[in-house]
Amino acid sequence: MYDLLSKYLTGDISAEEKQILFQQLKEDEELRKEAAGIQNLSALVSMANEDGAASDRQYRSFVGMRKKRALLFSLRKAAGYAAIVLFSVLSTYLLMNYAGDKEDELVRYQEFSTPAGQRAKVLLADGTEVWLNANTTLRYPERFDPKRREVELHGEAFFEVEKAAGKPFVVKTNKMDIKVTGTKFNVNAYDTEEYFVASLVEGAVSVSCAHDRSNSYALLPRQQIVVSDHSSKVSPFENTDFMAWKEGVFIFDDMLMTDIIKKLELYYDVSIIVKNTKLENFRYTGKFRQRDGVESVLRKLQIVYPFKYTKDDDKNLIVLQ
């Protein structure tokens, strides 16, 4: 399967081999999961940050968490490791899941996940653009249903939805569904977070919450809805700093250190233990480049509030003292 997948990703697969590969993926769920990880990595090899050295480190770190290193190395070599930050998943490689028994009934899905410390731009089949923040997964069909465009999100994303008359666009999350026709909005829906937030920049959306499907909320531009397992609240917003991640920037505006730590754990997929309890009540305002990494953020925080930290790479753990 890995030889066939490698050929498929590099475009050297025959029609007969492609049919064999699709059949294997259809019949074996474990193979589909493994293929998903390889697909994510194959897309990453064509993406680099402005800082080549930093990008190299992130690539090696991410590859280290996966098995099939020989295949990934060949993919990286074939892609030339081009120095670009943005890419379209549709212009790279596809991962297929299937439904139905006949060839013409196959539904092809793509699933893309961004690793810690990275972001990506995805172009959907209808022309909709989606920015994905770190540690985010987007699942969507290669071709949308004629009457409804539907995607699944785990994490944070910014959507610029292409207008299509009679074909609403729906973003499904664990706590809420957002329905639009053509608009720009940000969705923060990490499964580890207590609150999910949908923030409308332009257009109009209708939000249905999992805890109360009998009601829906219509948002206007510059309004956001905060949803938990048991409540929903709509309020206006003016400050858009929380969407600066699209540009690769994190902005903390008078934020508690404890909340900053939670964000760093989430964005960089690292565990952080705070033994210096004095730090928990400190607040901080600052701007950081996402690509610089978690230690760069900690070093800047040290300037304002002196503390020491140790990092255990084997345990993926940072301790603040």
Side-chain angles (χ1 to χ4, degrees):
M1 193 278 286
Y2 299 107
D3 289 339
L4 292 177
L5 184 60
S6 180
K7 287 184 177 181
Y8 181 75
L9 297 180
T10 54
D12 295 328
I13 193 169
S14 67
E16 182 179 357
E17 289 173 324
K18 185 185 294 186
Q19 185 176 3
I20 294 173
L21 173 63
F22 288 176
Q23 187 64 31
Q24 289 178 332
L25 291 174
K26 177 182 178 181
E27 295 174 351
D28 193 321
E29 183 179 357
E30 290 304 315
L31 285 180
R32 288 200 300 272
K33 291 179 180 179
E34 185 68 20
I38 293 174
Q39 181 243 350
N40 291 340
L41 288 170
S42 67
L44 285 173
V45 299
S46 65
M47 179 179 69
N49 286 315
E50 296 88 339
D51 182 346
S55 177
D56 234 18
R57 290 194 299 271
Q58 290 169 344
Y59 176 85
R60 290 196 300 269
S61 174
F62 192 56
V63 170
M65 296 186 294
R66 296 292 189 269
K67 297 179 181 178
K68 315 302 175 187
R69 298 193 181 193
L71 171 60
L72 297 172
F73 179 79
S74 67
L75 291 174
R76 179 181 178 180
K77 184 177 181 181
Y81 202 26
I84 57 174
V85 176
L86 312 182
F87 61 90
S88 163
V89 171
L90 291 185
S91 67
T92 53
Y93 314 117
L94 307 179
L95 168 69
M96 280 63 169
N97 289 327
Y98 299 94
D101 298 322
K102 298 180 181 179
E103 185 68 24
D104 58 358
E105 292 178 347
L106 295 183
V107 178
R108 300 182 177 186
Y109 286 90
Q110 302 177 55
E111 185 174 284
F112 186 79
S113 299
T114 49
Q118 294 283 5
R119 69 193 195 284
K121 184 181 181 182
V122 178
L123 177 64
L124 303 185
D126 65 336
T128 293
E129 294 183 353
V130 188
W131 276 100
L132 304 180
N133 203 352
N135 281 328
T136 294
T137 298
L138 183 72
R139 185 176 186 269
Y140 52 97
E142 180 186 353
R143 294 182 181 179
F144 285 114
D145 183 274
K147 296 182 180 180
R148 185 182 178 92
R149 298 170 291 169
E150 196 168 273
V151 302
E152 297 176 18
L153 176 69
H154 299 272
E156 184 168 20
F158 184 89
F159 293 83
E160 293 188 22
V161 177
E162 187 73 10
K163 292 183 179 180
K167 295 179 63 175
F169 189 98
V170 179
V171 180
K172 299 182 71 66
T173 74
N174 284 344
K175 287 186 173 67
M176 61 182 173
D177 296 344
I178 303 102
K179 182 179 179 181
V180 305
T181 53
T183 187
K184 298 179 181 180
F185 59 100
N186 192 84
V187 181
N188 189 321
Y190 286 101
D191 292 338
T192 56
E193 295 282 284
E194 180 180 359
Y195 297 100
F196 284 15
V197 184
S199 306
L200 181 61
V201 176
E202 180 181 301
V205 303
S206 175
V207 180
S208 171
C209 302
H211 69 83
D212 183 10
R213 293 296 185 185
S214 61
N215 293 316
S216 62
Y217 299 83
L219 299 188
L220 299 175
R222 294 288 179 155
Q223 285 187 330
Q224 63 183 194
I225 183 169
V226 179
V227 180
S228 70
D229 289 332
H230 308 289
S231 65
S232 308
K233 182 180 180 181
V234 176
S235 60
F237 69 91
E238 293 296 333
N239 192 329
T240 59
D241 285 348
F242 65 91
M243 289 187 281
W245 65 263
K246 275 179 52 190
E247 313 302 327
V249 175
F250 295 140
I251 298 178
F252 302 135
D253 184 11
D254 193 33
M255 185 178 289
L256 276 171
M257 181 70 85
T258 51
D259 293 329
I260 292 177
I261 294 302
K262 290 178 183 178
K263 293 293 185 184
L264 295 180
E265 288 182 316
L266 183 62
Y267 293 146
Y268 292 105
D269 193 25
V270 62
S271 296
I272 301 177
I273 297 176
V274 181
K275 290 190 174 180
N276 184 347
T277 55
K278 293 181 179 179
L279 295 176
E280 295 179 354
N281 297 321
F282 289 155
R283 293 183 175 272
Y284 186 85
T285 297
K287 182 184 297 186
F288 307 93
R289 291 182 301 181
Q290 184 179 15
R291 66 181 175 86
D292 288 342
V294 63
E295 290 191 76
S296 175
V297 177
L298 293 176
R299 285 193 292 269
K300 290 178 181 178
L301 292 173
Q302 283 178 314
I303 297 174
V304 181
Y305 304 115
F307 62 88
K308 296 180 180 180
Y309 74 87
T310 58
K311 187 170 185 288
D312 188 328
D313 290 326
D314 292 333
K315 295 181 179 179
N316 195 30
L317 174 68
I318 295 176
V319 179
L320 308 188
Q321 299 172 331

